[in-house]
Amino acid sequence: MILAEVLIERSANALNRPFTYLYPFKDKLTAGVRVVVSFANRDVVGYVIKVKEDKRNKDEYEKESGFVLNPIKSVLDKSPILNDEMLNLAKEVSNYYLSPLISVLQTMLPPSLKPRFSTLKAPKIHYEKYLSIVNESEKDLTAKQIELLRLIYKNGKVRKRDLKSPSIIKKLIELNRIREIEIEVPRLKIPEYKKDERKNLTADQKKAISTILNSKNKISLVEGVTGSGKTEVYLALSEEVIKKGRNVLMLVPEISLTSVMVSYYLRRFKGKVAILHSELTPAEKYDEYRRIARGEANIVVGARSAIFAPLKNIGLIILDEEHVESYKQDNVPTYHAREVAFMRAKTNNSMVVLGSATPLLETRIRAMRGIYNHIILPERINKQPLPKTTIVDMLKGYNLCRDSHMFSKVLYEKIKDRLEKKEQIILLINRRGFSTSIVCRECGEAIKCPTCGISLTYHRNDNMLKCHHCGHVMQYPKTCPNCDSKYLGKTGFGTERIEQEIIKLFPKARVLRLDSDVGRVRNNISRVIEKFRNQEADILIGTQMIAKGHDFPNVTLVGVVLADIGLSLPSFRNTEKAFTLITQAIGRSGRDKKAGEAIIQTYMPEHYAIQLASRQDYNAFFNAEMKIRKASQYPPYTYLISLTIKAKKEDLAQDIAYQIASDLTNKNYPDVKILGPSTPYIPYENEWYVREILIKYKKEDEIRKYIEKLRITLQNKPSVSILVNVDPFDF
Ligand code: ADP
Ligand code: ZN
Ligand code: ZN
């Protein structure tokens, strides 16, 4: 009999081991297809990872193994939905990140192919009916019929719904002159661009390209100041790789159809580009995925999960803005696109290029040690100077604008000046919503989220309080939930508030706002960016979303409304993130012919991150921050694994976390340090209490085995859950 090992997913805890089922059908079964099986009396969709013959019959098998052998109910796919490379990659990712294999498969596949029950109702292939010639003979046909036959003949094939004569078509089909064919059409309509030729590269760009192409070392860091022409380097490298008959995977942190990177690639490589981004519908994703799997695209441009695109024969993988946090997934599987890129590069023998003006410290140190090629683009294109930057101390009352304490006099004056000159302005405020929190003036308590305990943010737009962590929404209360006082006040400010202030200060200015609230409506982000690029607005206000990779030629002023946000959050990565954000934001200014300027408003004008960001001095920042990381033993001086333990009862969470921590400590692994258990910044989530443990290590093997076992033990307990995060981005 034929047996199949099937991986299935149960809603709460993902199981990491396959179950054996009997294959009762005649057709040959291959690994890599989805099947419907019964599990715990319910029909579920599973993924076949292995097919094997067994000499015994069903009764013998059941007697010997002690298990009941259930049959597979149906097979969903005609051919495997993942090839061998992808299946092996899934195993490697699952091993490295200590994440269940099924969770990796779920991540790899587009929504409509995931081994989940709900996917059975997902979009199917979209066909259109076309007409083509069977026999072009015009014998015995009427003039009208001949006319249509000639039309189809001339065009090769014609879409049926473009023709208006159903009866003639029907007749011609009956006479066997034409026939109907179905052709798969992608639902994603990719914009048409005029083809664009390679620019005359600068000496620095040429050198970068030849170093990357000719080096024995396959991994390169391209460290180039903002506006130094990194994109042109990516494009030229891609061209070279494609010329050699190999394919390119281009990753960007966030992407929409109108991202600059997408339009650059579409212009340069017409028709060969597939796009995988978050604004695609499941149907569009499915089509793009299949187009890539069929080998119809040479280039895939996409965000994090595009690293799992079924592209074959990859010659080059690029991660633009490699420092950005969104390359790391913070739920299971907790993978980082860069690590997965290294895995795929090894199998495909391809090059990897990491690009950034402000690389992660981990990446930079590896480049300095020669583990990666270290390529530096030191100047902006056309030798444009970096923006002239002023730091304003907002604690000094005399610096403040008379009509709004959120703006300094300097920033106010500069905005006015740019509005008069018809140049554009970007204002960064890295917090969405109207105010940061609602605080009771009597008892001093802030209104907190009932599901995770952090302060709720007031959104004026819909007059609601919202949790920025779990999404909990509630009405603005009339009185304090703690003491019933009526005196509730708003403190702190976010994008909505800044938008309101700007409209008050500059009533004639055309203002746009970009944050994830705006992004909740599909395609809105693209629309806002496109509008601003077309200069249909003067001022763009936004969160970190506006700092990333955009190229707006007419922007000559960037204002960082409050640079301090984030600096006080409890994470070893805070200062690095703040430095990067400010540097990148300032870098949006003066990228074309006109020189740019930037104003940084802060309560901490002496802080090294703010000082060095204002000078765009990555090198000095790297040196300063590395000293701190060394003293406190954080990456890149050590590796991290974090464990998040959740339980329905607080005592239980504490007890289990304490047990794990002391057990790990008692093992006395060499070069391993255990921190915690600690109560995180967000202490409970949806009635689950949270504790965290941090493992710092230099060598991994023993620790990994321990965690793997731990995860399997804990996942069978319904009242407890554990999340393992290998290389957490923050802690
Ligand atoms: P980065 O990604 O390093 O911030 P970009 O690649 O966006 O910089 O380049 C900045 C600007 O310079 C873009 O408008 C780009 O079109 C232009 N540019 C890049 N390389 C060249 C070149 N060799 N000649 C002329 N313009 C260039
Ligand atoms: Zn109160
Ligand atoms: Zn919450």
Side-chain angles (χ1 to χ4, degrees):
M1 62 181 175
I2 303 290
L3 300 180
E5 288 187 1
V6 179
L7 269 180
I8 55 172
E9 186 192 47
R10 277 198 307 189
S11 53
N13 278 324
L15 299 165
N16 204 22
R17 75 184 170 88
F19 290 86
T20 304
Y21 285 87
L22 176 70
Y23 181 68
F25 307 114
K26 288 247 155 46
D27 300 342
K28 188 174 162 358
L29 180 69
T30 44
V33 296
R34 293 169 305 160
V35 291
V36 177
V37 295
S38 162
F39 185 86
N41 292 322
R42 266 186 33 215
D43 281 357
V44 295
V45 174
Y47 186 87
V48 177
I49 55 168
K50 205 169 171 185
V51 180
K52 52 191 185 185
E53 262 248 44
D54 201 299
K55 297 247 151 47
R56 296 167 286 183
N57 67 29
K58 185 168 177 286
D59 288 344
E60 288 164 357
Y61 180 94
E62 289 183 339
K63 212 177 266 164
E64 280 171 36
S65 67
F67 291 115
V68 180
L69 201 53
N70 284 316
I72 287 174
K73 293 195 162 171
S74 63
V75 178
L76 296 173
D77 303 298
K78 286 201 186 77
S79 55
I81 54 174
L82 287 175
N83 61 29
D84 283 350
E85 189 217 328
M86 299 310 285
L87 197 53
N88 288 332
L89 179 66
K91 287 177 191 157
E92 204 177 344
V93 171
S94 158
N95 284 338
Y96 181 78
Y97 286 103
L98 301 166
S99 298
L101 183 57
I102 186 80
S103 73
V104 184
L105 297 179
Q106 304 284 32
T107 303
M108 274 186 163
L109 291 161
S112 40
L113 287 176
K114 291 184 198 304
R116 264 191 202 135
F117 215 72
S118 56
T119 62
L120 298 186
K121 291 192 286 291
K124 301 283 176 285
I125 301 172
H126 182 60
Y127 291 105
E128 282 228 54
K129 292 194 169 93
Y130 277 77
L131 299 170
S132 75
I133 299 285
V134 179
N135 180 352
E136 71 263 36
S137 154
E138 293 174 359
K139 199 162 157 271
D140 305 330
L141 296 185
T142 67
K144 279 228 155 104
Q145 290 167 342
I146 292 174
E147 185 197 11
L148 189 69
L149 191 74
R150 285 183 186 171
L151 178 77
I152 298 171
Y153 184 76
K154 228 175 81 197
N155 286 287
K157 60 176 189 285
V158 177
R159 191 160 66 174
K160 192 175 173 188
R161 68 182 165 101
D162 291 342
L163 298 174
K164 283 187 204 71
S165 20
S167 59
I168 303 177
I169 291 171
K170 202 163 157 247
K171 193 77 203 159
L172 283 174
I173 292 175
E174 271 171 29
L175 293 169
N176 202 29
R177 298 290 162 75
I178 63 171
R179 67 189 169 113
E180 209 177 86
I181 49 175
E182 285 193 326
I183 294 183
E184 177 175 349
V185 275
R187 275 155 284 204
L188 178 65
K189 297 286 167 270
I190 293 178
E192 282 281 327
Y193 287 106
K194 229 174 71 215
K195 191 158 163 89
D196 180 33
E197 295 305 326
R198 191 193 279 204
K199 292 199 170 66
N200 287 323
L201 300 172
T202 64
D204 284 332
Q205 286 171 325
K206 278 187 194 147
K207 202 170 132 221
I209 292 159
S210 71
T211 312
I212 294 169
L213 290 175
N214 299 321
S215 170
K216 270 214 196 89
N217 192 344
K218 291 267 180 183
I219 306 175
S220 307
L221 166 65
V222 177
E223 183 183 320
V225 293
T226 50
S228 59
K230 292 186 287 294
T231 310
E232 205 59 39
V233 172
Y234 306 149
L235 289 165
L237 285 171
S238 305
E239 257 177 73
E240 295 300 323
V241 169
I242 288 181
K243 249 191 245 159
K244 292 195 187 106
R246 307 197 68 196
N247 298 330
V248 178
L249 199 47
M250 172 79 223
L251 299 193
V252 283
E254 255 149 50
I255 175 173
S256 62
L257 252 191
T258 54
S259 306
V260 238
M261 196 59 79
V262 172
S263 68
Y264 275 129
Y265 269 85
L266 288 175
R267 276 197 198 109
R268 197 68 61 90
F269 305 97
K270 289 193 71 137
K272 296 176 181 163
V273 184
I275 299 164
L276 291 175
H277 70 80
S278 55
E279 290 180 340
L280 297 189
T281 64
E284 289 168 342
K285 271 194 191 135
Y286 179 57
D287 293 346
E288 287 298 280
Y289 185 89
R290 290 173 43 78
R291 204 156 78 81
I292 299 164
R294 283 196 306 266
E296 284 170 21
N298 299 125
I299 301 175
V300 175
V301 186
R304 177 178 67 218
S305 64
I307 193 60
F308 293 119
L311 188 69
K312 289 180 200 125
N313 188 20
I314 300 173
L316 170 67
I317 306 176
I318 302 170
L319 269 82
D320 185 32
E321 315 276 353
E322 72 91 32
H323 60 273
V324 174
E325 188 173 355
S326 62
Y327 281 127
K328 167 82 174 169
Q329 180 156 295
D330 55 12
N331 48 28
V332 172
T334 54
Y335 74 97
H336 194 293
R338 184 188 50 233
E339 293 310 314
V340 183
F342 293 158
M343 294 173 191
R344 293 200 79 175
K346 215 164 166 194
T347 327
N348 284 278
N349 192 26
S350 49
M351 297 181 284
V352 177
V353 170
L354 310 171
S356 177
T358 52
L360 284 180
L361 302 193
E362 293 93 312
T363 304
R364 180 40 139 66
I365 189 72
R366 282 183 203 133
M368 286 165 73
R369 292 196 181 138
I371 302 168
Y372 312 151
N373 295 315
H374 194 185
I375 288 147
I376 296 176
L377 299 174
E379 281 179 336
R380 284 190 154 187
I381 293 290
N382 303 332
K383 309 233 178 328
Q384 254 312 329
L386 287 164
K388 181 174 161 286
T389 304
T390 313
I391 299 175
V392 185
D393 183 352
M394 297 298 278
L395 281 175
K396 303 253 165 37
Y398 56 78
N399 278 338
L400 302 188
C401 172
R402 212 169 356 102
D403 301 317
S404 166
H405 66 275
M406 280 157 228
F407 290 94
S408 56
K409 282 184 196 144
V410 212
L411 185 51
Y412 175 84
E413 289 301 328
K414 300 270 178 202
I415 294 174
K416 212 169 119 204
D417 171 68
R418 298 307 136 100
L419 288 173
E420 276 160 16
K421 288 186 189 147
K422 303 244 178 297
E423 293 172 5
Q424 286 174 296
I425 301 145
I426 288 180
L427 296 177
L428 170 76
I429 174 86
N430 200 19
R431 188 158 49 202
R432 64 201 169 88
F434 190 80
S435 71
T436 326
S437 53
I438 307 293
V439 179
C440 171
R441 297 208 197 285
E442 301 253 332
C443 72
E445 287 279 312
I447 297 182
K448 300 237 165 87
C449 172
T451 56
C452 52
I454 63 171
S455 292
L456 294 173
T457 304
Y458 172 58
H459 287 242
R460 205 173 73 109
N461 213 352
D462 44 12
N463 202 28
M464 287 289 206
L465 299 186
K466 298 184 188 179
C467 173
H468 284 186
H469 179 67
C470 71
H472 179 85
V473 180
M474 62 182 254
Q475 298 268 13
Y476 199 118
K478 292 204 168 62
T479 60
C480 167
N482 189 40
C483 75
D484 242 4
S485 150
K486 293 187 300 218
Y487 302 102
L488 297 173
K490 305 185 190 85
T491 64
F493 51 84
T495 44
E496 276 190 3
R497 180 73 193 274
I498 294 300
E499 183 183 22
Q500 189 197 45
E501 292 288 305
I502 283 289
I503 292 170
K504 207 172 74 192
L505 293 173
F506 305 100
K508 289 211 188 93
R510 296 166 304 165
V511 180
L512 285 171
R513 183 167 57 96
L514 188 67
D515 53 33
S516 51
D517 290 329
V518 174
R520 284 180 51 182
V521 178
R522 202 168 101 85
N523 291 329
N524 250 0
I525 295 178
S526 313
R527 236 170 268 145
V528 170
I529 291 174
E530 198 62 357
K531 255 183 144 168
F532 192 62
R533 190 177 311 137
N534 292 338
Q535 302 185 25
E536 290 165 42
D538 309 302
I539 306 179
L540 177 64
I541 299 165
T543 57
Q544 33 89 18
M545 279 179 147
I546 57 171
K548 280 175 202 159
H550 307 298
D551 198 17
F552 302 118
N554 196 38
V555 171
T556 58
L557 176 66
V558 168
V560 180
V561 180
L562 187 58
D564 314 13
I565 295 174
L567 275 173
S568 55
L569 284 171
S571 157
F572 74 89
R573 185 91 63 188
N574 271 340
T575 320
E576 186 181 3
K577 283 208 275 202
F579 171 83
T580 300
L581 177 61
I582 301 166
T583 310
Q584 295 282 351
I586 295 174
R588 298 309 112 206
S589 184
R591 290 166 68 87
D592 203 25
K593 311 241 153 41
K594 291 172 232 160
E597 227 181 316
I599 307 289
I600 304 176
Q601 303 190 145
T602 173
Y603 295 116
M604 298 188 264
E606 300 304 325
H607 195 291
Y608 68 103
I610 290 170
Q611 283 286 335
L612 296 174
S614 84
R615 301 208 290 268
Q616 303 248 312
D617 193 345
Y618 174 80
N619 226 0
F621 177 78
F622 175 83
N623 292 330
E625 188 63 13
M626 284 294 273
K627 287 206 186 87
I628 291 169
R629 297 285 176 86
K630 189 170 185 186
S632 55
Q633 282 297 302
Y634 272 102
Y637 288 96
T638 184
Y639 292 103
L640 302 178
I641 296 180
S642 70
L643 307 178
T644 306
I645 292 110
K646 293 184 199 171
K648 290 269 188 193
K649 296 223 165 66
E650 186 157 21
D651 296 357
L652 188 62
Q654 179 66 22
D655 286 353
I656 290 185
Y658 184 78
Q659 257 174 42
I660 296 171
S662 56
D663 198 22
L664 270 167
T665 311
N666 291 337
K667 289 255 184 316
N668 268 321
Y669 293 123
D671 277 331
V672 171
K673 242 183 117 169
I674 311 297
L675 272 71
S678 58
T679 307
Y681 179 64
I682 295 158
Y684 49 101
E685 275 180 74
N686 289 321
E687 293 166 22
W688 287 71
Y689 290 84
V690 189
R691 291 293 183 275
E692 288 178 331
I693 296 170
L694 186 66
I695 305 166
K696 292 178 168 180
Y697 67 94
K698 304 251 150 113
K699 271 185 61 192
E700 46 175 349
D701 312 349
E702 293 302 318
I703 242 4
R704 280 170 181 274
K705 275 185 217 143
Y706 178 90
I707 293 170
E708 184 78 54
K709 253 194 237 140
L710 176 73
R711 190 169 56 78
I712 292 165
T713 327
L714 285 184
Q715 78 190 2
N716 293 325
K717 298 197 167 125
S719 51
V720 189
S721 87
I722 182 166
L723 173 77
V724 180
N725 194 343
V726 177
D727 310 331
F729 195 85
D730 275 310
F731 197 88

